């Protein structure tokens, strides 16, 4: 029998990871760096699964062989090409017949291969467990501030040699606000977000401060897993500010794309009740004549600033002006160096 092995993070760095599940299963989530070489197509899996339920495993397995045996040689060639000399780790949903079949084929071909014990499900359980007992690899520094201050741009411009930056909104494909999906498609699944976030923390050097943007428990349809939100609440809190004019300008630049008009109209309709009839009508009129700065100003003054951080039950560890991102980065480094008691952090 082929060798089975339990998941450890080191496997991601030493093996070529082959996911033999269907393309739909792979798209929902997969191990970091995995390559999809499916044993069955999405349609074939439905057919075999239905046959299994109706007639039992024997006929379902025979039908699976009929569908796939003609592709065995091509699949083996694909795996070997992807592996490029590395040993192979094969997995399916729960370490069953699909991954076993590919592992046997590779073993018979003389290629070094192991099967993941428990399959994707075992990996998923480790991700869930990691966030349930979440302890960040370095001190969490949480960047808060009103909409339009440029927090996301600021953190993504920080020096990666000094800070670990994890862009939660980037991973979630959503800006975390009422207009957060404008120009984006939040097609990512919760499982995929969890894996991407797990991998980001996995790759963070121990001891280096971790910068994240302050978010609510949910970013669009995605939820922060496990204790991440609580850990952010316990982290070092930075309050960022910028002038109203700067915020209006930054929002205008971000949203002034003609193709965003329809999505912005839909987003505005969603917050109609919170704006009130008069304010809604005013901002809608500005949107219809494509006065993006007017829309941004109206939303800041009559929606965002009244809704977000309306009650802030905490005192920031430091306040930083984001009018100039470079100067703000220096101030953050100075603050962190002073907090650690050894002068400014390197730029």
């Amino acid at each position: 029998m082929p060798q089975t092995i339990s998941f450890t993070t080191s496997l991601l760095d030493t093996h070529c990871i082959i996911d033999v599940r269907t393309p739909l299963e792979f798209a929902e989530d997969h191990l970091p760096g995995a390559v999809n070489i499916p044993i069955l197509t999405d349609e074939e899996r439905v057919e075999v699964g239905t046959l299994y339920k109706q007639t039992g495993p024997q006929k379902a397995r025979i039908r699976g062989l009929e569908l796939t045996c003609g592709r065995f040689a091509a699949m083996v060639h694909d795996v070997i090409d992807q592996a490029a000399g590395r040993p192979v780790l094969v997995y399916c949903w729960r370490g069953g017949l699909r991954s076993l079949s590919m592992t046997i084929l590779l073993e018979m071909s003389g290629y070094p291969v192991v099967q993941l014990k428990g399959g994707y499900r075992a990996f998923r359980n480790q991700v869930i467990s990691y966030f349930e007992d979440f302890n960040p690899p370095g001190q969490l520094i949480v960047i808060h501030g009103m909409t339009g201050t440029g927090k996301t741009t600021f953190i993504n411009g920080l020096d990666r040699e000094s800070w670990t930056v994890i862009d939660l909104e980037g991973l979630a494909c959503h800006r975390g606000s009422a207009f957060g999906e404008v120009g984006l498609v939040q097609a990512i699944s919760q499982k995929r977000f969890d894996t991407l976030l797990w991998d980001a923390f996995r790759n963070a050097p121990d001891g280096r401060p971790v910068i994240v943007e302050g978010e609510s428990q949910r970013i669009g349809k995605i939820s922060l897993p496990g204790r991440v939100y609580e850990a952010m609440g316990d982290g070092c809190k930075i309050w960022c500010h910028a002038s109203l004019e700067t915020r209006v300008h930054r929002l205008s630049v971000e949203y002034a794309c003609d193709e965003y008009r329809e999505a912005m109209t839909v987003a505005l309709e969603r917050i109609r009740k919170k704006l009130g009839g008069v304010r809604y009508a005013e901002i809608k009129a500005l949107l219809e004549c494509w006065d993006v700065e007017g829309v941004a100003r109206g939303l800041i003054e009559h929606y965002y600033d009244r809704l977000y951080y309306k009650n802030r039950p905490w005192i920031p560890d430091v306040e930083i002006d984001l009018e100039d991102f470079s100067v703000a980065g220096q101030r953050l480094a100075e603050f962190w160096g002073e907090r650690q008691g050894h002068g400014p952090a390197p730029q």
Side-chain angles (χ1 to χ4, degrees):
M1 285 290 289
Q3 180 185 358
T4 61
I5 189 169
S6 297
F7 177 79
T8 62
T9 55
S10 62
L11 291 169
L12 300 176
D13 302 317
T14 59
H15 285 63
C16 174
I17 314 296
I18 300 297
D19 184 325
V20 297
R21 298 175 304 155
T22 67
L24 277 176
E25 292 174 286
F26 182 82
E28 182 184 28
D29 189 32
H30 52 270
L31 273 64
V35 177
N36 188 210
I37 300 179
I39 291 283
L40 297 169
T41 67
D42 296 310
E43 296 76 15
E44 288 169 348
R45 182 171 182 248
V46 171
E47 179 186 344
V48 172
T50 301
L51 194 61
Y52 184 96
K53 291 178 181 178
Q54 292 175 345
T55 65
Q58 185 179 48
K59 289 187 177 180
R61 290 174 182 176
I62 291 173
R63 180 54 180 155
L65 283 172
E66 291 172 349
L67 291 168
T68 61
C69 65
R71 302 197 293 261
F72 285 168
M75 287 190 289
V76 168
H77 279 300
D78 284 347
V79 172
I80 293 173
D81 288 344
Q82 291 290 339
R86 293 171 294 164
V88 171
L89 173 70
V90 179
Y91 73 93
C92 59
W93 164 239
R94 57 182 179 182
L97 282 176
R98 286 184 290 175
S99 57
L100 178 60
S101 299
M102 180 66 82
T103 305
I104 290 173
L105 287 171
L106 288 165
E107 189 176 62
M108 290 175 59
S109 302
Y111 204 87
V113 59
V114 292
Q115 180 187 15
L116 181 62
K117 185 177 181 180
Y120 167 81
R121 186 168 62 176
F123 165 75
R124 173 66 182 165
N125 287 338
Q126 287 210 23
V127 172
I128 292 171
S129 177
Y130 174 82
F131 287 120
E132 285 177 346
D133 302 317
F134 180 62
N135 287 301
Q139 170 69 55
L140 276 182
I141 300 178
V142 187
I143 306 297
H144 295 271
M146 305 303 281
T147 299
T149 51
K151 302 181 296 294
T152 304
T153 303
F154 171 61
I155 67 171
N156 282 318
L158 292 171
D159 178 15
R160 296 307 200 273
E161 295 299 318
S162 301
W163 317 97
T164 293
V165 176
I166 298 181
D167 182 358
L168 298 173
E169 293 182 1
L171 295 180
C173 302
H174 197 284
R175 300 182 190 87
S177 66
F179 285 70
E181 204 171 353
V182 172
L184 301 171
V185 177
Q186 196 180 31
I188 190 171
S189 70
Q190 181 68 52
K191 290 179 180 178
R192 188 69 194 137
F193 175 81
D194 294 348
T195 293
L196 292 173
L197 186 58
W198 173 86
D199 198 41
F201 280 116
R202 175 183 79 90
N203 287 307
D206 287 339
R208 182 180 294 175
V210 180
I211 305 280
V212 296
E213 188 174 340
E215 304 288 349
S216 63
Q217 181 71 58
R218 292 182 65 84
I219 307 174
K221 69 178 183 180
I222 296 297
S223 296
L224 295 176
R227 288 194 64 260
V228 173
Y229 184 70
E230 288 76 13
M232 289 168 60
D234 295 335
C236 176
K237 300 174 184 63
I238 312 295
W239 181 257
C240 297
H241 50 81
S243 69
L244 175 61
E245 294 306 316
T246 294
R247 294 167 62 199
V248 168
H249 173 72
R250 286 175 177 166
L251 282 182
S252 300
V253 169
E254 185 171 6
Y255 288 96
C257 298
D258 193 61
E259 59 268 29
Y260 291 177
R261 283 194 187 211
E262 183 177 350
M264 289 175 69
T265 301
V266 172
L268 185 63
E269 180 65 31
R270 283 198 295 265
I271 62 172
R272 181 173 188 163
K273 288 184 179 179
K274 292 182 179 178
L275 280 170
V278 174
R279 295 299 182 193
Y280 168 80
E282 290 174 351
I283 296 174
K284 185 180 181 182
L286 292 169
L287 182 57
E288 287 173 347
C289 65
W290 203 230
D291 180 356
V292 182
E293 286 201 0
V295 171
R297 187 181 299 275
L299 289 172
I300 287 173
E301 293 180 336
H302 303 296
Y303 178 70
Y304 287 123
D305 284 8
R306 296 166 113 186
L307 181 67
Y308 296 97
Y309 296 106
K310 184 176 181 180
N311 297 307
R312 195 175 66 191
W314 45 265
I315 298 173
D317 293 278
V318 70
E319 296 195 19
I320 293 178
D321 189 333
L322 289 192
E323 291 291 331
D324 184 310
F325 292 141
S326 178
V327 173
Q330 294 173 11
R331 178 67 191 104
L332 178 62
E334 289 169 0
F335 158 75
W336 190 245
E338 292 163 1
R339 187 182 177 95
Q340 301 307 298
H342 49 63
Q347 294 300 299

